[in-house]
Amino acid sequence: MWGWRWASFAHVSLLASLVIGQQDQGNSSDASTYPEAKDVAFVVYYSSPPSIRASEHVPGWSEWDRDIEKVQTMIRLNFESARITHPQCRLVVLTDNSTEISLDKIKQDGRAEGPEVEVIRIDGLDNEEEMISRLKARIKFLEDEKGNHHIVFLDTDMLVVKNMNTVFEDDFDIAATWRHNPTMPVNGGILFVRKDHTDRAHDFFRSMLKMTEQAILQHEKRRWFGQSDQVALSKIMNRKYGYRGPMPGSDAARKELNQTSPVRTTFYPSPGDWSAAPAESAHKYGFNVLLLSCALYNGAGAHKGSQTAKECNEQACCCSDQSAVLHFKGRLKTAMHYYWTIACANPFFFQCAVLPERCEIERNEKARREREKSERRKNKGFVGKIVDSLMGSSYMAQKKLQLRESLRDLSQTVKGVAATKAAKEASMKEQLDKKVAATLSAVPRQITLPPGYKVAGHAVKPHKKVIMHNL
């Protein structure tokens, strides 16, 4: 059981009704077979975050990342999707030496074949410096990587629903995703590294580390929350750092930039006038950066018609049926499991792409259960069917009895709470009466009491003036 507060009971009921009401899709076309992608490594980073209260720079949903059970489940779904779309890939979790990560919680569920998960612990990381530590962990991983794998650095709250081998057919030092956000045009949720450019990527991440540390010193962003490294990544689409295209979010950019096409730029880690820089200086001083469509490779996993869908559509960063990677970031984290659970049966609920291979697995699993059930009935014959029917009736009766007992226990609990509250109120009133009587008995005075009021257990007539003495 998940035990998570994924949504309100009304939302759960809606999803349940959608799943139950959806008819079998029938024999759809077989899922496409992806080539074995043994040379792709999917790498996530996680460390137990510090106890930081929600504030201007630390949103309330950050509490989610403090629950290791939820994070490990997200990693499991993330890696299961990667296994399906990239058979025999490498799966890696980077972390510090103190974070407790259970391989049993993130291992495959047995239906998607693929590699086991590697947990690599990096020395010298500090969970108080989340973004700094993540950059340091990636730098160390690239130092130890021998160029055997293309690398995809991605957040834990992502699902890989399409094969991405074609990304690595292009030439680049680093690939990221762009969106129409003037402040943060480059999202750090996913970054790509070619296996023959790991040295260049290593230098790129060292530049990002230096710029992120500078941003922190300037108090641009809190150290733990994920936007601190995006302050550095945003420089990729800044003219002072070599970018020559229209600024994302501007009218010119919306006209000139195709939101489904990549944008190529040279990124220079030092600000300056690079507009007239010769071509040979790009490799010497800068990095060859490929900016992929956010909608295709970093699409926000929003519900159709939601406020989040409106926001990400404005930034050209919503998921679609063409998306290869879905990102359930921020407050969307709660929707990640729902998508994984219902997308095959109810693809209309999300606007995201459906992972056809997983749907095929689900259909095969359902068909297998139906065959086994049919075989059992067939072997049991007429008497067996009657027994099954009686057992089913008995099961439902048992469930009704359990529900009735639960309701009775709940009713008793409510009555007990009410009785306790009434007894407490009566006790407080009694103590108050005693205090009033004791105070008035010390000093004789003439007062007018309200109707029905009792003093020391004696009724007093309405509005009667009495002398209160030694009551």
Side-chain angles (χ1 to χ4, degrees):
M1 296 296 294
W2 282 72
W4 299 5
R5 295 179 179 177
W6 288 101
S8 64
F9 285 111
H11 192 187
V12 174
S13 300
L14 170 62
L15 296 178
S17 64
L18 288 174
V19 173
I20 295 172
Q22 180 74 8
Q23 297 298 319
D24 191 357
Q25 300 294 321
N27 295 325
S28 61
S29 58
D30 293 338
S32 60
T33 302
Y34 290 132
E36 290 191 359
K38 296 182 179 180
D39 60 344
V40 178
F42 291 89
V43 184
V44 302
Y45 175 83
Y46 177 73
S47 65
S48 300
S51 299
I52 301 177
R53 292 183 178 181
S55 66
E56 178 185 358
H57 298 302
V58 182
W61 56 257
S62 63
E63 295 289 341
W64 187 278
D65 287 336
R66 296 190 180 93
D67 191 325
I68 185 63
E69 294 291 329
K70 295 177 181 177
V71 173
Q72 288 180 151
T73 303
M74 287 193 296
I75 294 175
R76 179 177 63 80
L77 298 181
N78 182 317
F79 283 171
E80 186 173 344
S81 69
R83 286 189 187 98
I84 294 174
T85 55
H86 298 75
Q88 304 306 314
C89 62
R90 185 183 180 193
L91 304 173
V92 181
V93 179
L94 302 179
T95 188
D96 55 26
N97 288 318
S98 60
T99 298
E100 297 182 2
I101 293 181
S102 172
L103 283 173
D104 290 337
K105 297 293 180 63
I106 56 179
K107 67 182 181 180
Q108 61 203 71
D109 66 359
R111 294 183 293 172
E113 297 181 0
E116 296 296 330
V117 177
E118 305 172 46
V119 176
I120 299 179
R121 298 189 179 274
I122 310 294
D123 295 330
L125 302 184
D126 182 2
N127 72 339
E128 295 285 343
E129 303 279 2
E130 174 76 7
M131 294 298 101
I132 296 294
S133 293
R134 184 170 76 169
L135 285 168
K136 289 181 177 179
R138 289 175 173 178
I139 290 170
K140 177 60 176 173
F141 180 79
L142 288 170
E143 289 175 354
D144 296 338
E145 178 61 32
K146 305 303 181 183
N148 297 324
H149 301 84
H150 297 309
I151 301 168
V152 181
F153 291 111
L154 70 168
D155 287 352
T156 57
D157 52 7
M158 287 181 144
L159 294 175
V160 183
V161 296
K162 293 183 186 295
N163 183 273
M164 298 187 292
N165 286 347
T166 55
V167 172
F168 299 103
E169 294 176 0
D170 212 330
D171 183 53
F172 56 84
D173 295 328
I174 198 83
T177 58
W178 73 273
R179 59 188 176 182
H180 282 301
N181 185 324
T183 306
M184 300 288 178
V186 179
N187 180 268
I190 187 167
L191 298 168
F192 302 82
V193 176
R194 282 176 56 98
K195 63 181 180 181
D196 54 346
H197 287 228
T198 53
D199 289 343
R200 297 286 295 159
H202 175 271
D203 294 342
F204 172 85
F205 279 110
R206 288 186 65 85
S207 298
M208 286 292 105
L209 175 60
K210 182 179 179 180
M211 297 172 75
T212 300
E213 290 174 334
Q214 291 174 347
I216 289 174
L217 290 175
Q218 296 170 6
H219 305 287
E220 290 190 48
K221 289 293 176 183
R222 288 294 296 269
R223 299 182 176 189
W224 180 80
F225 182 37
Q227 286 189 354
S228 58
D229 64 335
Q230 289 185 183
V231 171
L233 286 170
S234 66
K235 304 296 193 295
I236 293 175
M237 300 189 81
N238 187 313
R239 295 187 184 283
K240 293 182 179 180
Y241 295 84
Y243 178 67
R244 301 183 184 182
M247 300 308 296
S250 65
D251 292 339
R254 294 184 185 279
K255 291 179 181 179
E256 297 178 30
L257 298 181
N258 186 333
Q259 67 183 43
T260 60
S261 299
V263 176
R264 187 175 293 279
T265 185
T266 299
F267 170 68
Y268 297 93
S270 299
D273 183 9
W274 297 99
S275 59
E280 58 269 17
S281 67
H283 181 76
K284 185 176 181 179
Y285 302 108
F287 299 96
N288 179 11
V289 178
L290 184 68
L291 295 171
L292 303 168
S293 164
C294 186
L296 295 183
Y297 294 98
N298 198 350
H303 298 165
K304 287 183 177 179
S306 65
Q307 180 61 35
T308 304
K310 296 178 182 178
E311 294 172 0
C312 63
N313 277 322
E314 179 67 20
Q315 297 182 3
C317 202
C318 267
C319 68
S320 70
D321 57 357
Q322 299 300 313
S323 299
V325 181
L326 313 182
H327 195 175
F328 297 88
K329 57 187 175 182
R331 58 182 179 271
L332 293 177
K333 292 179 188 290
T334 57
M336 185 174 180
H337 176 249
Y338 281 137
Y339 168 85
W340 192 254
T341 303
I342 74 165
C344 289
N346 301 278
F348 53 83
F349 191 75
F350 287 85
Q351 60 188 23
C352 307
V354 174
L355 210 169
E357 289 76 15
R358 183 176 184 278
C359 295
E360 185 69 19
I361 292 174
E362 291 293 324
R363 284 193 293 269
N364 292 339
E365 184 71 13
K366 180 180 179 180
R368 182 188 63 79
R369 292 194 301 266
E370 291 295 330
R371 286 196 301 270
E372 291 179 352
K373 184 177 180 180
S374 177
E375 286 295 326
R376 287 196 301 269
R377 288 182 175 180
K378 183 178 180 181
N379 294 333
K380 288 180 179 179
F382 179 74
V383 176
K385 293 179 182 178
I386 294 177
V387 172
D388 283 347
S389 177
L390 293 175
M391 289 180 64
S393 300
S394 175
Y395 174 79
M396 292 303 297
Q398 183 181 6
K399 286 297 181 182
K400 290 180 180 179
L401 179 61
Q402 291 175 354
L403 178 60
R404 194 176 294 114
E405 291 176 350
S406 299
L407 292 174
R408 186 182 65 242
D409 293 341
L410 179 61
S411 176
Q412 291 175 350
T413 301
V414 172
K415 290 179 180 178
V417 171
T420 302
K421 182 179 179 181
K424 186 175 180 180
E425 291 177 348
S427 175
M428 292 176 64
K429 186 177 184 306
E430 182 181 359
Q431 293 177 14
L432 180 60
D433 285 346
K434 289 181 179 180
K435 288 182 180 180
V436 171
T439 301
L440 294 178
S441 64
V443 181
R445 64 180 65 183
Q446 180 173 302
I447 62 174
T448 300
L449 297 178
Y453 194 84
K454 294 181 179 182
V455 179
H458 301 285
V460 180
K461 292 183 179 180
H463 305 295
K464 181 179 181 180
K465 293 184 178 180
V466 296
I467 300 297
M468 308 294 292
H469 182 70
N470 294 330
L471 295 176

